[in-house]
Amino acid sequence: MPFRPEREAPPTAGLPLGLSDLTGGAPAPLTALAAAWLGVEQVQLECSGTSALTIALATLHEHARSRREVVIPAFTCPLVPLAIRRAGLVPRLVDVKPGHFDMDPQRLAEACSERTLAVVPTHLGGRTADVAIANDVAHAVGASTVEDAAQALGARIDGRFAGTHGDIGFFSLAAGKGLSIFEGGLLVARDDAWYERFRRVSRRMVRWQPVWELRRTLELAGYAALYRPLGLGTAYGRPMRRALRRGDLLSAMGERFDADFPMHPVGRWRRAVGARAFGRLPSFIAATTTQAAARVPALASIPGVHVFKDDGGTWPYLMLRLPDEATRDAVLRRLWSSRLGVGRMFLHALPDYDYLGELPGGDDVPNARDFAARTLTITNSPWLDDASFAHICAVIEAVVVSR
Ligand SMILES: *Cc1c(COP(=O)(O)O)cnc(C)c1O
């Protein structure tokens, strides 16, 4: 009997919005709630994580005019190099450690020089990267760190929040990334002096764009209405599966990104929605952490399967590394279109996105390509029930054992 899930699981565990998030009073401004929770002096809100990163880098560049390179892992979100270029800078790729998403410290040190403006240590899927090493390497050449915590709002390293270990950090509030106002980004800095500089650069780069804000408002209302088990099939699953059938993996992954991404202020209604939902974020993180802790052992016991884990991270999805690409692809052939929230993190290592063009350092990133080829993700949404999870484990085990 083929397994027939009755409902669509989202690819990541986003905090569901309720009707009560859409109207009524807000406890405090979203930025104040975020700052208090993260334990930082202030938080700057932008219209996306990408926009927040762009403003961070443009601000850094104003204070170090001769430095134009931004060092990033060769496996990360393709929006990151787009943000770097938007700030007038050059992305330089560093290969990751074998079998991992974090930058190889040796390669990182080799990539840094007096041309380096910033290094971007990157947390993925709630699993944390080594920011301390990135700080050491960056500071040794006079550069700064911008911690990419887009996928790690609420994760902790040694008890302190991810995103607050670098000189600057940012978080994404995009759909599916923890707390969402459909698109948004939070910017934080270790030294309070940066906030006034961020605001100045933001005033220069960000333009009020009512059409974009209207679009995001409708998208957020649609997200609130459809981010539930019955709506996800229509809003997310069906278009995704259609793209998969066409062989259009970029669309299936939602990775057709535009270099001309919008930079506009976030409107009052969306800010209030985020503020009203914010209070539920800690308990949602606790619940998804408990669920992940219960599910990781079953996956980790499958021979040849590596499950990424750490103490203190968040759990939007479970990240797995399989023995080889053929095995990973065989699993995805059976599960990607199954409605069970199984998929890939990013489609490629950065040099393999045609639309990104030439990327310095991109000719020598075998580990990043290997990581892209061998990993898959399983949603950690509370809507993926135990029977569905057991089915996923059984399929993976059957595929791995048969090879
Ligand atoms: C999503 C993401 C970004 C960009 O954030 P947006 O809010 O989508 O613009 C940056 N880095 C990583 C690792 C991401 O996953």
Side-chain angles (χ1 to χ4, degrees):
M1 270 283 284
F3 186 82
R4 286 220 146 268
E6 278 169 30
R7 49 194 203 174
E8 182 97 31
T12 68
L15 175 70
L17 297 176
L19 281 181
S20 61
D21 294 324
L22 304 186
T23 56
L30 174 58
T31 48
L33 294 169
W37 189 54
L38 292 169
V40 294
E41 194 60 36
Q42 296 182 43
V43 166
Q44 165 103 358
L45 176 68
E46 295 296 340
C47 71
S48 64
T50 310
S51 185
L53 174 60
T54 306
I55 283 161
L57 294 173
T59 308
L60 282 172
H61 189 44
E62 286 200 333
H63 293 261
R65 276 300 185 198
S66 63
R67 295 173 178 264
R68 298 204 52 220
E69 290 187 356
V70 180
V71 174
I72 60 175
F75 182 82
T76 186
C77 179
L79 286 164
V80 170
L82 295 181
I84 294 168
R85 288 184 179 146
R86 184 75 168 265
L89 302 165
V90 178
R92 171 166 289 281
L93 306 194
V94 168
D95 203 7
V96 294
K97 298 189 275 194
H100 205 277
F101 59 87
D102 199 5
M103 289 182 280
D104 182 317
Q106 180 75 37
R107 300 289 304 273
L108 173 59
E110 288 162 12
C112 288
S113 70
E114 73 287 347
R115 292 187 303 277
T116 309
L117 177 71
V119 173
V120 184
T122 302
H123 311 298
L124 286 185
R127 308 277 60 73
T128 51
D130 194 334
V131 187
I133 286 189
N135 280 336
D136 287 348
V137 174
H139 296 165
V141 297
S144 303
T145 47
V146 179
E147 193 181 346
D148 183 342
Q151 299 193 13
L153 178 60
R156 291 170 196 260
I157 305 168
D158 301 330
R160 195 149 54 82
F161 282 112
T164 66
H165 290 250
D167 297 308
I168 294 172
F170 72 97
F171 305 90
S172 169
L173 305 182
K177 292 197 189 178
L179 175 72
S180 179
I181 54 172
F182 204 81
E183 290 281 7
L186 301 174
L187 194 51
V188 298
R190 184 166 20 215
D191 180 347
D192 295 342
W194 285 106
Y195 291 107
E196 181 50 38
R197 300 170 190 154
F198 292 154
R199 277 195 291 276
R200 218 175 38 240
V201 171
S202 181
R203 275 197 294 275
R204 197 180 71 227
M205 298 188 84
V206 168
R207 288 273 167 275
W208 178 236
Q209 291 177 290
V211 175
W212 269 110
E213 185 54 31
L214 175 63
R215 174 172 163 177
R216 295 295 187 232
T217 297
L218 297 173
E219 285 170 332
L220 180 58
Y223 180 78
L226 296 175
Y227 195 86
R228 50 196 71 239
L230 285 176
L232 272 162
T234 316
Y236 159 77
R238 270 198 258 154
M240 189 271 284
R241 280 184 287 278
R242 253 198 320 270
L244 277 183
R245 281 196 297 276
R246 289 198 304 273
D248 179 357
L249 299 188
L250 271 180
S251 294
M253 296 284 294
E255 289 184 1
R256 291 196 176 277
F257 296 124
D258 188 352
D260 193 24
F261 54 84
M263 294 182 75
H264 61 97
V266 175
R268 187 152 32 128
W269 182 70
R270 288 201 299 135
R271 292 199 307 264
V273 171
R276 286 186 287 258
F278 200 90
R280 295 198 308 279
L281 185 60
S283 61
F284 184 72
I285 290 173
T288 46
T289 299
T290 302
Q291 174 168 285
R295 289 183 172 181
V296 164
L299 286 165
S301 72
I302 303 172
V305 171
H306 176 78
V307 188
F308 287 84
K309 57 183 183 206
D310 52 42
D311 296 325
T314 53
W315 296 88
Y317 47 69
L318 309 177
M319 193 195 314
L320 271 59
R321 191 183 69 224
L322 296 191
D324 51 60
E325 182 171 18
T327 308
R328 194 279 309 265
D329 286 347
V331 170
L332 285 182
R333 269 195 298 282
R334 295 191 51 190
L335 291 178
W336 202 348
S337 37
S338 68
R339 310 172 69 175
L340 294 171
V342 176
R344 283 159 72 165
M345 186 164 14
F346 300 116
L347 200 48
H348 302 302
L350 292 179
D352 298 325
Y353 291 90
D354 287 339
Y355 64 80
L356 290 178
E358 278 293 306
L359 293 160
D363 48 1
D364 187 19
V365 294
N367 294 338
R369 289 196 160 112
D370 174 69
F371 190 80
R374 286 203 287 145
T375 45
L376 62 81
T377 61
I378 302 170
T379 186
N380 189 39
S381 164
W383 297 333
L384 185 80
D385 58 31
D386 288 339
S388 298
F389 180 72
H391 173 73
I392 293 170
C393 292
V395 168
I396 295 174
E397 180 149 21
V399 169
V400 171
V401 167
S402 73
R403 298 187 75 88

